[in-house]
Amino acid sequence: VYNTAYCTVNSSSSVSGSGTTFTMTLNITFAPQFTGAQNIYGYAEDSAGQSTGFPQLGTWTPNSGPPPQQAPTVTTWSQMPNGVPAGSGEDAYLTFTFNENAGYSYINEAEVLIAPSTSQAASGCYIRWLQSTGLFYLYESGSWVAVPQNSSLSGAYCTLYTSTPPPGFPQGSQASSVSGSVATLTMKLAIAFAPGFTGWQNVYGYANDQAGQNSGFVNVGMWYPGTPPEQTPVVSVSPSSGAGL
């Protein structure tokens, strides 16, 4: 650890090299009185006495706090290998991402609703995660019920697994989880749909943050619990009439 009047360089800082590249990683704590926008410069000198000079590389504002919060957004969900926002199956392992510009830790809760519409949430698979408890919740009979860790909870429309899901789930499926990196919160859900829950359902994502802002319910795709019925083949010809050799 090295201290000056303006910052502390912590012992976790490091340098490394590979080929022609020298990498310096600095873990810096700025002194409270060091404020305002500052320029960032880099400098290097070699054994021949040649130097880079001080090129400006960027800017930094110490002790400014996080950027002003904007409403969180629901970015995407993924299930199908080709990226098509639709899928089917009795068992599903779904990944959703939510973004918050001030940092993912500012997201208070994230929700996923699989139902005919948002007005029919009570007739679908409705899942919530709360940062304050770190737990998942399943909406059942008009209230939120906590899903125990390393376990599962069944409702009228689906079962959510917080433990490793049983055989029959897509390859690579794991326990439901939430993780974060920088501005992105990632939610992975292992869901088994109830046998009576059929028909194409809309998939919605929702999040709210510490500033009371929310994404609204964003329709990110569709899901058919079970196996979709086969469509009757349709034969057509174009043009439908004409004459000639």
Side-chain angles (χ1 to χ4, degrees):
V1 178
Y2 183 78
N3 297 291
T4 71
Y6 301 100
C7 66
T8 298
V9 180
N10 298 294
S11 59
S12 57
S13 301
S14 63
V15 296
S16 61
S18 177
T20 60
T21 302
F22 180 88
T23 301
M24 176 185 293
T25 302
L26 298 177
N27 184 342
I28 303 172
T29 302
F30 295 103
Q33 70 273 16
F34 189 38
T35 60
Q38 309 294 327
N39 292 320
I40 300 175
Y41 301 93
Y43 175 90
E45 182 177 318
D46 64 17
S47 58
Q50 303 170 112
S51 73
T52 60
F54 281 92
Q56 184 177 342
L57 306 176
T59 61
W60 189 267
T61 305
N63 300 302
S64 64
Q69 281 185 252
Q70 298 173 4
T73 58
V74 183
T75 308
T76 187
W77 76 299
S78 60
Q79 162 67 22
M80 305 300 285
N82 60 6
V84 174
S88 63
E90 295 178 357
D91 303 318
Y93 186 59
L94 309 178
T95 300
F96 298 82
T97 54
F98 307 83
N99 280 284
E100 168 63 63
N101 74 304
Y104 76 91
S105 62
Y106 284 79
I107 295 178
N108 276 342
E109 65 175 307
E111 298 179 0
V112 167
L113 171 63
I114 303 172
S117 68
T118 55
S119 63
Q120 296 172 284
S123 300
C125 181
Y126 195 5
I127 296 164
R128 168 186 284 178
W129 172 83
L130 293 182
Q131 185 200 73
S132 59
T133 63
L135 296 177
F136 286 102
Y137 297 79
L138 192 62
Y139 192 74
E140 184 64 24
S141 301
S143 62
W144 291 103
V145 183
V147 184
Q149 294 181 334
N150 196 32
S151 185
S152 65
L153 182 68
S154 297
Y157 300 95
C158 64
T159 298
L160 181 67
Y161 289 88
T162 55
S163 60
T164 302
F169 271 74
Q171 185 176 3
S173 296
Q174 301 176 11
S176 300
S177 64
V178 169
S179 60
S181 176
V182 192
T184 301
L185 183 144
T186 302
M187 176 188 288
K188 297 184 177 183
L189 300 177
I191 304 170
F193 295 102
F197 188 39
T198 59
W200 282 106
Q201 310 293 326
N202 287 307
V203 181
Y204 302 93
Y206 170 93
N208 65 45
D209 65 17
Q210 294 178 10
Q213 304 169 114
N214 68 77
S215 63
F217 281 93
V218 180
N219 190 331
V220 293
M222 299 185 73
W223 189 266
Y224 191 103
T227 303
E230 293 186 12
Q231 299 287 332
T232 302
V234 177
V235 178
S236 64
V237 63
S238 179
S240 59
S241 63
L245 295 176

